[in-house]
Every structure is written in C-alpha cells, then in structure tokens.
Amino acid sequence: MVVAMVAASMASGLRTKAMAELCCYLTVALCAFLVPSFAKLTTIEHPVKPNRSLSFLVVGDWGRKGFYNQSEVAFQMGRIGEKLKIDFVISTGDNFYDNGLTSVYDPAFRDSFTNIYTAKGLQKPWYSVLGNHDYRGNVEAQLNPILRSVDKRWICMRSFVLKTELVDIFFVDTTPFVDKYFTDPEDHTYDWKGVEPRKNYLSSLIKDLKAEMRNSTALWKFAVGHHAIKSLGHHGDTAQLIKFLLPLLKDNNVDVYMNGHDHCLEHITSMNGAMQYLTSGGGSKAWRGDLKPDDDVNNSAKFLYDGQGFMSVEMNENEAMILFYDVEGLILHQWKISKQLRSAV
C-alpha cells in the first residue's frame, strides 16, 4: 500500500517517458527493498552479447572523491571499458570512504561515483557489494534503490545472484562474517541493522547461497565478496571465510572468487583444485608496502601488485581471459582459464 502510494505520487509529476520508466522501476525496487534482510537472495538477469560472450570490469576500494588516483584509474577504466564493449562493472566494496554514506542525500554519492566514472564506456550497470567501510555509515542509504534516481547505474545489495547465459555470479556480504568488527571495533561504529542477530543472519545467508549454487546450471560460477579468502596483501586471508564460505564454493565447483579489501591487485591459484582467487582492490589509495610471503603450499601466487588499478574479464562458453591493469592502463598480468579442461592455462 505504502509503495503504491509513493509510486502514484511520483508518477503524477512525471512528464517524460524516461521518468515514467524510472518510476516503474522504483516501484518494483522499493518492494524488494522492504523485504526483510533474511529473505531469499534476489536474482538479477543480465543478457550476454549476440555472440554469446560477456565482458566486464572489476574494481574495489575506490570512493575517495577522485583523490588517491581514483580519477586516473577511472579514466583508464573508461578507455578499456569502451574498447572491450563491457556489459557491466563489478564493485568489490568499500564504495565510499571513510565511513560509507550518511543518507541517500549524501553528496559523496555524486562526488565519488557519478562525477568520477563519467566515461562513455562505463555507462553500464554497476553491481556492487558492501565493504567494511560502507558498514561504518548508513547501510540502508547505500542499499536504497532511490539512489538509482540519481544514477541509474547503481545496483547495490547485501547478497544477490547475477544470472547470465554464461555465468552465475554470487555476490556475498562478507563483512558480517568477520569477528573483529563485532569483538574489537576499535573507534569505529558499525551499522548492524538488518544483520543482528548475527548468527541468524549468517546461517540464513549460507543456507540461501548453498541452495542457489546447487540449483545453478550455469557453465561458469563466479563469486564476489569484499574480503579476501586468500591474499598476500596487508589484511591477508580471512579466517572466517576460509571456515564458512570456502567449503561452499569448492563443493559447488565455483571457478573464481573475486574480492577487494586489500588495496592491491592479486592472482592466487589453488594447487589442489580449479579455484582462482582474484583481488581487485586498487581503485584508489594503495601502496601499503607490507606484502606477506608466499609460503602457502596449497596455493600459488601468480601475480601481486601493490598499487592502483583494476581488472577485466572476457569470457565465452569455452574460456575466460582475465587481465589486470595499472593506473596508466598498462597490462600487468593476464591469465586464461579453459572451461573444457577445467584448469588454468
């Protein structure tokens, strides 16, 4: 009833077809927004190209109003995005520093997103998850579909599934898994509305992810989260994800896990399986200079760059090509995964 009244009120003032379509979308989106956080995962469908291929960019840890080379990374993303004719962009979280958004009217949304990623090649949907810095602000503001009236590209949910004819991508809200944000938050305040009671939230999330992954018939399966499962960067491995999420990914033959959190670019491959761990957290501030040694006998680091940049993925039924770029748009690392052989080449 409330949603219908809001939609009717908005529609009365619309004068263009584009605004009418926006109102229709907001009606549907508001219905989804009002569903309790513990509800079944939302599914979004995205078409592939006519030749049954798909291409997209991955960037994380970016929202700094253009500073710390965010604008320079954005420029190169636009150039590569147009060259590859990308279908969408994935954000691995920490979308707005330092403390998320204060409300749906926070100017940081425009200052760090709309006014930065202006290139023609980036005018595509941005599928985004939350990072720990986003949880320090008003989480519901960042999730609110009303932001699409400001920038129609913005699609952000806690956890959801993006389905295409080629790949199912499982977006996972990883921040609530991490113990220290609850037991030792330091001087930070986290917005846990919609998460607490934490045990119930995580139990429901794992159950829903398991169901979605088991029911997936996609040729490829990717997963996205803010926190790394495996990383040699500043933050390193996330113990809670290794314990609770990794077994689920392995049991369901997920090919790739993509994350941010560590402000670097990184590729680690599993030595006892087909899993590829890809970190793309170089959207702005980087160069921490405290990388960890590669001494994990079960995994091998193929690439690690302690600097700014982003990642691209081009894929079809048979293979996925992954490329990492630096702040100048130079290719630093590339890797091809063959689906036919189910191994890295």
Side-chain angles (χ1 to χ4, degrees):
M1 178 69 72
V2 174
V3 173
M5 292 174 63
V6 172
S9 176
M10 291 177 63
S12 65
L14 298 177
R15 299 180 182 277
T16 66
K17 180 179 179 182
M19 289 299 290
E21 290 175 347
L22 174 61
C23 182
C24 179
Y25 171 81
L26 286 175
T27 303
V28 176
L30 280 168
C31 289
F33 180 66
L34 294 175
V35 173
S37 299
F38 291 10
K40 184 179 179 181
L41 298 183
T42 298
T43 297
I44 302 173
E45 295 187 355
H46 194 110
V48 297
K49 292 181 173 67
N51 66 354
R52 290 184 56 79
S53 69
L54 197 67
S55 59
F56 55 92
L57 302 182
V58 184
V59 67
D61 305 84
W62 41 268
R64 297 183 186 273
K65 302 179 181 180
F67 296 106
Y68 295 98
N69 282 344
Q70 183 193 1
S71 294
E72 286 74 12
V73 172
F75 176 82
Q76 296 301 334
M77 287 176 62
R79 185 178 66 83
I80 299 300
E82 188 166 4
K83 177 182 177 181
L84 299 183
K85 295 181 173 59
I86 61 168
D87 299 283
F88 52 84
V89 178
I90 288 176
S91 170
T92 58
D94 275 3
N95 307 313
F96 302 99
Y97 284 96
D98 277 327
N99 298 308
L101 296 179
T102 58
S103 73
V104 294
Y105 307 107
D106 192 333
F109 182 74
R110 288 187 175 90
D111 294 343
S112 289
F113 178 59
T114 300
N115 297 341
I116 301 298
Y117 302 101
T118 58
K120 178 181 177 182
L122 300 179
Q123 304 310 302
K124 302 290 183 178
W126 281 58
Y127 298 113
S128 309
V129 291
L130 299 169
N132 54 296
H133 281 267
D134 300 311
Y135 263 99
R136 296 177 188 173
N138 184 333
V139 170
E140 296 298 342
Q142 196 168 153
L143 300 176
N144 199 316
I146 289 176
L147 288 179
R148 283 181 61 88
S149 65
V150 180
D151 195 316
K152 65 181 181 180
R153 297 175 294 173
W154 185 251
I155 302 172
C156 184
M157 287 174 266
R158 294 183 195 269
S159 298
F160 61 101
V161 184
L162 180 63
K163 287 184 173 289
T164 77
E165 293 180 41
L166 280 177
V167 58
D168 282 356
I169 307 178
F170 303 91
F171 290 75
V172 184
D173 185 18
T174 60
T175 301
F177 281 91
V178 182
D179 291 339
K180 68 179 182 180
Y181 301 137
F182 295 84
T183 61
D184 186 21
E186 299 177 334
D187 295 328
H188 307 300
T189 300
Y190 292 88
D191 180 8
W192 298 127
K193 292 189 297 290
V195 170
E196 293 180 327
R198 181 191 179 204
K199 182 178 179 180
N200 293 354
Y201 178 81
L202 293 178
S203 176
S204 178
L205 175 54
I206 292 170
K207 179 182 176 181
D208 290 342
L209 284 170
K210 182 182 294 186
E212 292 288 350
M213 289 180 182
R214 285 183 175 177
N215 291 334
S216 173
T217 59
L219 292 168
W220 297 86
K221 295 178 185 179
F222 285 14
V224 176
H226 178 63
H227 296 80
I229 294 178
K230 297 289 184 180
S231 174
L232 299 177
H234 172 77
H235 296 292
D237 299 351
T238 306
Q240 294 81 18
L241 296 185
I242 293 174
K243 181 178 180 180
F244 295 108
L245 183 59
L246 182 56
L248 186 60
L249 302 185
K250 288 185 173 180
D251 288 347
N252 290 279
N253 297 317
V254 172
D255 301 281
V256 171
Y257 177 76
M258 301 181 290
N259 63 272
H261 197 45
D262 273 326
H263 297 182
C264 62
L265 306 175
E266 185 176 17
H267 174 201
I268 294 176
T269 187
S270 174
M271 300 296 287
N272 53 12
M275 179 80 72
Q276 308 296 317
Y277 305 98
L278 307 176
T279 296
S280 184
S284 58
K285 189 175 182 180
W287 304 109
R288 283 185 178 271
D290 56 352
L291 302 178
K292 295 174 173 56
D294 182 16
D295 55 6
D296 185 345
V297 296
N298 295 315
N299 300 283
S300 174
K302 300 298 181 183
F303 166 71
L304 177 58
Y305 177 67
D306 186 25
Q308 292 119 341
F310 59 100
M311 187 178 86
S312 72
V313 178
E314 298 175 86
M315 61 191 308
N316 56 37
E317 294 179 352
N318 300 318
E319 62 185 33
M321 179 63 74
I322 299 159
L323 286 83
F324 287 88
Y325 307 83
D326 69 6
V327 68
E328 296 180 348
L330 300 176
I331 297 174
L332 301 176
H333 175 69
Q334 55 186 343
W335 190 263
K336 183 172 72 174
I337 309 171
S338 171
K339 173 53 67 172
Q340 291 176 323
L341 299 177
R342 191 158 180 85
S343 62
V345 178

